[in-house]
Structure formats: C-alpha cells, structure tokens
C-alpha cells in the first residue's frame, strides 16, 4: 500500500470539502472511492490488514459526508455487510460505528437494517464496552415505527446484564425510543414499568 498515512490524511481533508461540481473532478473522486471500497480485502499480514482497513474506514466517512452517488453508497453497504462478520471485534465495532453514522444521515437504512439481528447478537455476546456502545448507537439510529418493539424489547433484556457504565445510556435510549415510536399506549406503559423495574437506579 503506497503512502497509507498520506492517503488517510487526504481522505480526512475531503471530509471538510463540498462535493465537487465539475464532472472531471467528480469522475476522478468517484473512481478513487470505488477502487478503495471494492478492493478492500482481508490480509494475513496483520499490519497490512490494519492499514488497508484504516484507509477503507476513512473512505467510508468520505462517502457518508457526501451521501452520493447512490452507486457508491450501495457499494459501501455491500462491503460493510461483508466485513461486519469479521472475528476482529475492534474492526467489527468500527464497522458498526460507520453503519450508525449512515443510519443517522438516513443513508441506505433498509440495507443496513438487514444486519440488525447480528448487531443485537453482538450486543449480547460481546464483553467489550466500546463494541457494545457501537451496537447500541447503531440500533438507536436504525429504530423506526416498524422495528421499535423488537429493538426496545431486546434493549430491556440487555439491561439485566449491562455493565453499570453503559446501563444509564441503554435506559435513556429505551425511554426515548418508546416515546418516539409508541403506537400503542399499553405497550408504552409496559415499557416504562419494565424500564423502572430493571434500571430504576439509573433512570
């Protein structure tokens, strides 16, 4: 990988610039981003693997910053879906952080939501707090009226095992999501009672 840290610095600089208006510059930019995203693969050499994915993550942030074109946004979703199954918990956490940023900007929500089950599974099985926080943020940003009951119910169950450091944040997100997406008064009341019984000391 040629001059990886210089590549990363250039990609970070792009995140402060508007999307180009002239076609030649657009064409070059889109080609560079497409190449980085599509050619990111796992390497046996740990250092090379870390460098390649560091460049990929910065390129992802550029795509999120611009939110266009759709072809590159969809390519990013596909690549994130492939990488999220990695055994590297730190990389998985970073991928979920990228997905959370995409969901926050309402980019490809339906495609990201396909991985909701894996995100919930990771939340329950991963002991690393930083990864748990990424899962929590992603679920919060993915939640809509159709998925609220499933996500809120899982977060309530997670409260039973959540570390004290993250428990307050889980409880707050449950309260916000229940109020924001409540379609039935009975469900909302049940959630509040459940929340108080499971985390009354922190909410």
């Amino acid at each position: 990988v040629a001059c990886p840290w210089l590549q990363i610095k250039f990609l970070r600089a792009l995140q402060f610039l508007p999307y180009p208006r002239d076609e030649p510059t657009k064409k070059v930019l889109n080609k560079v981003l497409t190449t980085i995203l599509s050619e990111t693969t796992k390497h046996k050499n740990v250092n090379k693997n870390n460098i390649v994915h560091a460049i990929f993550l910065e390129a992802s942030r550029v795509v999120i910053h611009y939110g266009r074109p759709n072809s590159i946004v969809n390519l990013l979703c596909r690549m994130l879906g492939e990488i999220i199954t990695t055994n590297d918990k730190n990389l998985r956490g970073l991928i979920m952080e990228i997905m959370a940023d995409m969901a926050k900007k309402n980019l490809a929500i339906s495609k990201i939501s396909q991985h909701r089950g894996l995100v919930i599974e990771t939340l329950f099985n991963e002991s690393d707090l930083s990864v748990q926080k990424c899962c929590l943020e992603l679920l919060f940003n993915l939640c809509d009226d159709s998925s609220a009951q499933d996500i809120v119910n899982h977060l309530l169950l997670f409260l039973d095992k959540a570390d004290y450091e993250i428990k307050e944040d889980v409880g707050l997100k449950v309260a916000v999501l229940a109020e924001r997406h409540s379609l039935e008064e009975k469900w909302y009341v049940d959630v509040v009672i459940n929340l108080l019984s499971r985390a009354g000391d922190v909410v």
Side-chain angles (χ1 to χ4, degrees):
V1 180
C3 305
W5 305 120
L6 188 58
Q7 289 189 49
I8 289 172
K9 285 184 178 296
F10 281 140
L11 288 167
R12 285 179 178 170
L14 285 172
Q15 295 168 45
F16 294 94
L17 300 174
Y19 192 66
R21 294 182 178 181
D22 61 292
E23 289 303 321
T25 305
K26 283 183 188 177
K27 188 174 180 180
V28 172
L29 174 62
N30 292 341
K31 183 179 180 180
V32 168
L33 292 174
T34 299
T35 301
I36 293 174
L37 296 179
S38 61
E39 294 185 0
T40 297
T41 56
K42 187 174 182 179
H43 297 272
K44 291 183 179 179
N45 182 288
V46 176
N47 289 332
K48 185 174 183 180
N49 193 57
N50 289 340
I51 289 171
V52 166
H53 283 98
I55 295 172
F56 172 85
L57 291 168
E58 288 304 328
S60 300
R61 293 185 176 101
V62 174
V63 174
I64 295 170
H65 169 63
Y66 292 137
R68 66 180 93 170
N70 287 335
S71 58
I72 296 182
V73 173
N74 290 333
L75 172 61
L76 174 58
C77 283
R78 180 169 64 79
M79 295 305 298
L80 291 172
E82 292 178 7
I83 300 173
I84 198 174
T85 57
T86 179
N87 292 325
D88 184 337
K89 65 182 181 182
N90 293 322
L91 178 57
R92 196 186 321 133
L94 290 169
I95 294 300
M96 290 186 183
E97 184 179 314
I98 293 293
M99 285 182 163
D101 289 341
M102 291 184 73
K104 193 173 183 179
K105 292 192 69 172
N106 204 29
L107 292 174
I109 292 288
S110 60
K111 288 183 171 62
I112 298 174
S113 294
Q114 293 173 7
H115 306 287
R116 193 174 80 216
L118 177 59
V119 177
I120 291 172
E121 181 183 332
T122 303
L123 176 66
F124 277 82
N125 296 333
E126 181 55 64
S127 58
D128 189 306
L129 278 178
S130 62
V131 176
Q132 288 182 353
K133 289 177 181 179
C134 289
C135 292
L136 181 61
E137 194 65 26
L138 176 51
L139 290 171
F140 183 78
N141 289 339
L142 282 179
C143 193
D144 57 20
D145 288 349
S146 64
S147 62
Q149 289 195 18
D150 180 62
I151 290 176
V152 168
N153 290 341
H154 276 100
L155 292 181
L156 285 171
L157 291 174
F158 179 67
L159 276 171
D160 291 337
K161 62 171 292 183
D163 186 276
Y164 190 81
E165 186 177 331
I166 195 176
K167 199 169 187 176
E168 182 178 356
D169 194 23
V170 177
L172 178 61
K173 282 180 166 52
V174 166
V176 171
L177 292 177
E179 183 174 353
R180 183 183 295 170
H181 300 289
S182 175
L183 300 178
E184 301 173 8
E185 186 175 336
K186 181 181 182 303
W187 176 74
Y188 177 72
V189 173
D190 287 344
V191 169
V192 172
I193 293 173
N194 210 336
L195 177 60
L196 291 174
S197 65
R198 292 172 186 265
D201 56 329
V202 295
V203 295

